[in-house]
Amino acid sequence: MTHFDLASGARFGLESSPSTFALRFGRREIFACRDSYVRRYRVNPIIECSAGLEPGHVEILLFRRWLLVLSKARG
């Protein structure tokens, strides 16, 4: 069993997955990964936008499969 420590800088515990990447544009960052969260509500099939886990984060779900997290870059 694997334990992910979110305080160590790993975002959602998914940075070790081969299908993730992060892009940094100045003070902004885009983190993309495959979505593994099971939603208990009806999701728009093309694009779904919601507030992120931390203040200032925006989560965009594309095609019910890819999760984009827009945020300020760390450090």
Side-chain angles (χ1 to χ4, degrees):
M1 185 169 170
T2 304
H3 174 72
F4 295 111
D5 183 15
L6 294 177
S8 68
R11 293 172 204 225
F12 313 111
L14 299 171
E15 288 183 330
S16 62
S17 176
S19 61
T20 64
F21 63 91
L23 298 173
R24 187 172 181 169
F25 300 103
R27 298 184 329 177
R28 303 291 179 206
E29 188 173 69
I30 299 173
F31 176 74
C33 65
R34 294 282 301 243
D35 185 39
S36 60
Y37 182 73
V38 178
R39 287 167 174 74
R40 306 234 184 250
Y41 56 90
R42 188 174 173 96
V43 178
N44 189 327
I46 298 174
I47 189 168
E48 180 81 20
C49 186
S50 64
L53 296 175
E54 297 180 24
H57 287 207
V58 176
E59 293 182 358
I60 301 172
L61 183 64
L62 297 173
F63 305 113
R64 296 182 184 165
R65 185 159 299 190
W66 289 96
L67 182 66
L68 299 175
V69 180
L70 307 173
S71 66
K72 288 184 179 178
R74 293 184 181 186

